[in-house]
Amino acid sequence: MIQPEIRDISVEDMRRFGFGSYLNGGNTSPGDNKYASAADWVALADAMYQASVDDSLDGSVIPTMWGTDAVHGHNNLVGATLFPHNIGLGAMGDPVLIEAIAKATALEVRATGVDWAFAPTVATARDDRWGRTYESYSESPDVVKDYARAAVYGLQGHPGRDFLQQDSVLSSVKHFIGDGGTYLGDDQGDNRDTEQQLLNIHGQGYVSGLTAGAQIVMASFNSWHGEKVHGSYYLLTDVLKQQMGFDGFVVGDWSGHGQVKGCSNESCPQAINAGLDMFMAPTDAWRPLFYNTLAQVKSGQIPIARIDDAVTRILRVKARFGLFEQGKPSQRPYAGDQNLLGQAAHRKIARQAVRKSLVLLKNHGNLLPLSPTQHIFVAGDGAHNITKQSGGWTLTWQGTNNSNSDFPGATSILEGITEQVTVAGGVVSYDVAGNYTHKPDVAIVIFGENPYAEGHGDRTDVAYQPGDKTDLAILKRLQAAGIPVVSIFLSGRPMWVNAELNASDAFVAAWLPGSEGAGIADVILRNQRQQIQYPISGKLSFSWPNSPYIQVNEGDDPQPILFPFGYGLHYGEHDPLGDDLNETLEAATGQNSERLLYNGQMHAPWLLWLGADSQREQVTSNASRLGQVAYRTADKQVQEDAMHITFSGEGPGQVLFNSKSNFREDLRSDLLQHGELKITVNVHDIGEQPVFLRTQCDSDTQQPCGATLPLMQPAAVLLDRWQIYTVPLRCIAAAGMEFQNTTVPFALYSEGRAAFTLSKVSIVTHAEARDAPCLTVTGE
Ligand code: BGC
Ligand code: BGC
């Protein structure tokens, strides 16, 4: 009933504890080697299998099984076929192709000795600010329902026909239930739908997926009306197992049990009692979790009948899967065959999916498809960037830290265009930043979101490049030179791109196409004889917004919708869109609330510290000094309602707010509620260096975490005046701050001389979003 992660168990642990299953997370591969081959994976699978059936220590011969996130192909393997992410597949409107994709994925997973895919995600994403929107096929429960069925058939085969044969893997539908409908699109947040909505909107992938025979359901991190699903007896047992008749098993999500009220990663009888059958227990928490669970069974806190039920379910799935007859992984068909990964037949399916997922949103004067015999200029940082076109859950968890050389056999979008144009006798020139040397006939600019996955991908709004409009500038420059512009937009969600649409003659939503970037050239280019090669046929499976702030879904009030669900132009069709979409937004009004960090006194949990060079010291009196930093209380209106800070400039100095023992505070809801940091300060002196605003966080990745932004620029500061500096939290987040793990919400830092009095620091949140610039300074 415990599923640990390969980073945290040894083969000896497997021999001793006989885990029912184990997983690799999005950042882990055998031997911690990102480039591990199919044979390396099978070798680990064999070692784990043999240890699990060795009864010398635990008396058990039950084989273990390995689960992995094969969510758009076997995406942890270098060289695997990477299919478009689910959002792109949704636009294809083709469940038959979904089944073929899932079948190809199953085979590539089989090649590595892995038994089980944590797929499909059957979330119905209703708020595109959610960073997992691209894992969802559609905002429409009907589409999710059709696709979930097809994906499960593809992974597991059809019951009564070719069910769970040796080219299949086990499928788990996830994340049960309501993950796509949390308040403000907050990952792991709270779903506040009624039970009827939960079933009608978020439950349809389970209705069809379980009917198709999915053997496993993954519980979701989210809550329903404040209660975490991992601890909900009602949802896991009454609804899923009893009402829906599910006889497979429920696996938890990544330490998800630890978030149940009263639980920790190391102990959670509540989850088992609620109906969880297998803990997903990465990190070394699995060990205490094992002993605690054992003790809870012995003491009767967990009834033995519940353990019997969970184990029966797990064994039933293993029996159906034929795990007891399959023998060790390396003996099974396909195991270790590196040629199955990224094989031509699979890439062909993926390329077809890329073609069918493209949605044409604008096509003035029928600019597309383009003749390949002209001079085509390609620009944008998505043009030759397989990392970017593949999105999250690609070789690494967030899909970052990869480069083109990590994708052998794959094609970038530029490569596809170049190949076809060259064959046809045309010319391709290319510059990321959009500077050409000879004026081209037409330009294709490929741009969009950078990779992200859960948590990191959450946004407060869906404005594209709200701060720096780099890509827009490229489009405008080309258009101003009289060059027709085709935009290829890569994204994990529909976004507010009115300005970019206005500055494009044609605009294609290409989502996250994966390894077969060349599929795009197949559609946007004609052949040598000037014929259309493939029609453009994708239809939006998500409504496209006409506002960065207002979330739109099928059936909603049409006013803030730019392109409705199902929209998508054909070639040759009349395009009604003008070049005059609204690009500006009035600052929305709403109820504001204020979280005080400091107003003459520090507000819990924050404490005041001084920092000089690498030293830090907490301030506990009304005057203190640490090296080049001096502090004393000051009077603004009443006694000691402000603090006076001096940086002598002899070394870096800072004044900072830190939580007790560096504990992480979750300020994510302030971010989501369009929070702004407001600093009331009077600068008396500033040298040649700016004073920076700095925040810090504590991330699990051990990477430095936080943001540093220039706040007071020597040339711009008005001396001896009370001023309010306002910085939206989204700008701080964009600079690298993770507000869910805040350790320092505010610090002022400088390497130069400065003296100022600070009277207030607060976070003001707004009921509705605001389109404020990253820094405003106003008189008090
Ligand atoms: C995700 C799941 C995933 C699991 C294992 C979790 O954080 O929510 O979708 O299957 O990790 O990587
Ligand atoms: C893992 C992912 C997991 C995530 C959850 C990462 O370190 O690699 O698989 O979903 O943590 O926190």
Side-chain angles (χ1 to χ4, degrees), residues 289-359:
L289 182 66
F290 173 83
Y291 289 109
N292 287 329
T293 305
L294 206 60
Q296 287 149 0
V297 174
K298 287 187 176 148
S299 75
Q301 211 181 340
I302 301 174
I304 190 71
R306 179 68 268 278
I307 300 293
D308 287 343
D309 173 54
V311 170
T312 304
R313 288 168 175 274
I314 295 167
L315 292 177
R316 183 186 292 136
V317 170
K318 291 187 173 183
R320 282 183 183 148
F321 185 48
L323 197 65
F324 297 97
E325 294 89 51
Q326 289 186 29
K328 65 175 181 179
S330 60
Q331 286 170 355
R332 304 175 194 168
Y334 313 112
D337 186 350
Q338 186 74 31
N339 295 328
L340 294 176
L341 293 168
Q343 60 171 294
H346 293 175
R347 292 191 187 274
K348 205 171 149 198
I349 297 170
R351 186 157 169 170
Q352 188 185 358
V354 172
R355 290 194 292 260
K356 297 191 87 170
S357 66
L358 303 177
V359 183

Side-chain angles (χ1 to χ4, degrees), residues 288-595:
L289 182 66
F290 173 83
Y291 289 109
N292 287 329
T293 305
L294 206 60
Q296 287 149 0
V297 174
K298 287 187 176 148
S299 75
Q301 211 181 340
I302 301 174
I304 190 71
R306 179 68 268 278
I307 300 293
D308 287 343
D309 173 54
V311 170
T312 304
R313 288 168 175 274
I314 295 167
L315 292 177
R316 183 186 292 136
V317 170
K318 291 187 173 183
R320 282 183 183 148
F321 185 48
L323 197 65
F324 297 97
E325 294 89 51
Q326 289 186 29
K328 65 175 181 179
S330 60
Q331 286 170 355
R332 304 175 194 168
Y334 313 112
D337 186 350
Q338 186 74 31
N339 295 328
L340 294 176
L341 293 168
Q343 60 171 294
H346 293 175
R347 292 191 187 274
K348 205 171 149 198
I349 297 170
R351 186 157 169 170
Q352 188 185 358
V354 172
R355 290 194 292 260
K356 297 191 87 170
S357 66
L358 303 177
V359 183
L360 183 59
L361 297 179
K362 182 172 182 177
N363 198 18
H364 267 196
N366 286 302
L367 177 61
L368 286 178
L370 301 174
S371 159
T373 54
Q374 48 185 342
H375 174 191
I376 299 178
F377 175 60
V378 181
D381 70 356
H384 192 45
N385 191 338
I386 303 171
T387 301
K388 186 158 175 147
Q389 77 195 33
S390 299
W393 296 107
T394 301
L395 304 184
T396 60
W397 177 40
Q398 295 290 325
T400 48
N401 301 322
N402 299 321
S403 62
N404 284 352
S405 61
D406 291 331
F407 300 94
T411 47
S412 71
I413 301 169
L414 172 69
E415 286 169 332
I417 296 171
T418 307
E419 196 195 325
Q420 296 192 17
V421 171
T422 311
V423 169
V427 173
V428 172
S429 56
Y430 162 65
D431 179 60
V432 184
N435 303 311
Y436 54 82
T437 34
H438 298 289
K439 189 175 167 187
D441 298 314
V442 65
I444 303 174
V445 188
I446 303 156
F447 60 96
E449 288 190 295
N450 287 321
Y452 54 76
E454 26 174 348
H456 298 242
D458 287 5
R459 299 280 178 272
T460 52
D461 55 61
V462 294
Y464 180 64
Q465 287 190 338
D468 84 295
K469 283 275 177 193
T470 334
D471 294 323
L472 179 62
I474 299 179
L475 305 178
K476 285 190 163 167
R477 220 169 48 233
L478 292 165
Q479 272 200 336
I483 301 163
V485 173
V486 177
S487 286
I488 307 288
F489 187 58
L490 301 171
S491 73
R493 58 187 127 215
M495 300 196 83
W496 188 62
V497 285
N498 282 9
E500 289 79 6
L501 278 162
N502 286 343
S504 307
D505 296 282
F507 195 102
V508 176
W511 316 109
L512 299 167
S515 58
E516 307 315 299
I520 292 179
D522 293 346
V523 178
I524 64 168
L525 297 180
R526 293 173 183 271
N527 67 15
Q528 275 161 283
R529 281 166 290 139
Q530 305 300 338
Q531 292 156 327
I532 292 176
Q533 303 188 69
Y534 290 93
I536 192 152
S537 59
K539 303 283 175 215
L540 293 178
S541 65
F542 283 83
S543 308
W544 197 283
N546 199 5
S547 152
Y549 307 129
I550 303 170
Q551 287 303 305
V552 287
N553 285 297
E554 194 193 4
D556 286 352
D557 174 3
Q559 187 257 325
I561 298 183
L562 182 61
F563 303 116
F565 175 88
Y567 190 82
L569 296 165
H570 293 295
Y571 286 149
E573 191 176 341
H574 169 70
D575 172 7
L577 196 72
D579 291 333
D580 54 357
L581 299 171
N582 180 24
E583 295 185 15
T584 54
L585 277 171
E586 328 69 54
T589 50
Q591 271 177 309
N592 302 351
S593 71
E594 185 174 45
R595 182 200 287 264

Side-chain angles (χ1 to χ4, degrees), residues 598 600-601 608 619-624 630-636 638-645 757-758:
Y598 171 78
Q601 64 179 78
L608 181 65
V619 174
T620 48
S621 64
N622 57 11
S624 64
Y631 159 92
R632 64 180 162 76
T633 53
D635 300 351
K636 186 182 174 197
V638 295
Q639 298 92 318
E640 303 201 347
D641 62 349
M643 67 171 97
H644 188 269
I645 301 284
T757 309
L758 199 62

Side-chain angles (χ1 to χ4, degrees), residues 3 5 23-27 68-69 71 118-119 121 132 135 172 174-175 187-188 218-219 221 252-255 280 393 397 454:
Q3 181 186 56
E5 211 239 2
L23 86 150
N24 71 288
N27 278 331
T68 195
D69 288 291
V71 298
F118 300 140
T121 300
R132 305 190 78 160
E135 295 187 56
S172 40
K174 72 185 188 183
H175 311 83
D187 193 43
Q188 312 193 359
M218 188 183 289
F221 278 123
D253 201 346
W254 192 271
S255 304
M280 189 187 286
W393 296 107
W397 177 40
E454 26 174 348

Side-chain angles (χ1 to χ4, degrees), residues 4-273:
E5 211 239 2
I6 57 173
R7 200 161 24 186
D8 296 289
I9 48 159
S10 63
V11 171
E12 284 317 302
D13 291 328
M14 179 60 85
R15 202 181 315 283
R16 174 167 301 277
F17 292 89
F19 304 105
S21 171
Y22 61 105
L23 86 150
N24 71 288
N27 278 331
T28 330
S29 18
D32 243 338
N33 174 15
K34 176 172 157 183
Y35 304 97
S37 64
D40 297 331
W41 284 64
V42 172
L44 179 61
D46 260 5
M48 289 296 182
Y49 175 92
Q50 294 291 26
S52 71
V53 298
D54 175 347
D55 62 355
S56 59
L57 297 177
D58 62 354
S60 159
V61 293
I62 300 168
T64 190
M65 55 183 184
W66 185 343
T68 195
D69 288 291
V71 298
H72 66 132
H74 196 5
N75 42 253
N76 285 298
L77 267 289
V78 168
T81 313
L82 299 170
F83 297 91
H85 269 295
N86 288 352
I87 193 167
L89 301 181
M92 304 188 311
D94 187 348
V96 176
L97 195 52
I98 291 295
E99 186 171 334
I101 289 171
K103 207 169 162 51
T105 302
L107 203 66
E108 297 202 13
V109 172
R110 274 288 184 166
T112 58
V114 175
D115 311 275
W116 162 11
F118 300 140
T121 300
V122 300
T124 308
R126 304 291 284 184
D127 189 321
D128 306 344
R129 293 172 289 193
W130 188 38
R132 305 190 78 160
T133 298
Y134 67 83
E135 295 187 56
S136 168
Y137 296 120
S138 177
E139 71 188 23
S140 156
D142 297 335
V143 175
V144 173
K145 186 176 183 178
D146 283 352
Y147 273 41
R149 182 191 300 114
V152 171
Y153 282 152
L155 290 168
Q156 298 193 349
H158 289 249
R161 205 169 86 195
D162 56 356
F163 194 53
L164 295 176
Q165 301 300 299
Q166 300 222 332
D167 56 356
S168 300
V169 293
L170 290 165
S171 157
S172 40
V173 275
K174 72 185 188 183
H175 311 83
F176 187 82
I177 182 175
D179 52 352
T182 57
Y183 179 61
L184 301 172
D186 188 9
D187 193 43
Q188 312 193 359
D190 189 27
N191 184 307
R192 300 174 184 180
D193 286 343
T194 63
E195 182 164 356
Q196 196 61 50
Q197 290 168 322
L198 203 60
L199 172 66
N200 293 353
I201 299 173
H202 302 287
Q204 294 306 305
Y206 302 94
V207 171
S208 66
L210 298 185
T211 307
Q215 292 297 299
I216 302 157
V217 170
M218 188 183 289
S220 187
F221 278 123
N222 66 269
S223 317
W224 184 45
H225 294 277
E227 188 189 28
K228 287 283 173 184
V229 175
H230 277 72
S232 170
Y233 182 89
Y234 180 66
L235 290 173
L236 297 184
T237 300
D238 284 346
V239 173
L240 178 63
K241 293 180 175 173
Q242 274 150 25
Q243 295 173 24
M244 297 181 77
F246 174 57
D247 71 355
F249 70 87
V250 178
V251 67
D253 201 346
W254 192 271
S255 304
H257 58 273
Q259 297 188 23
V260 174
K261 201 159 173 255
C263 289
S264 66
N265 292 354
E266 292 81 25
S267 170
C268 192
Q270 291 90 325
I272 296 188
N273 287 339

Side-chain angles (χ1 to χ4, degrees), residues 676-693:
E676 293 169 335
L677 191 62
K678 285 194 181 286
I679 304 145
T680 310
V681 66
N682 188 336
V683 182
H684 314 294
D685 177 32
I686 185 162
E688 274 154 29
Q689 304 289 331
V691 175
F692 293 91
L693 170 67

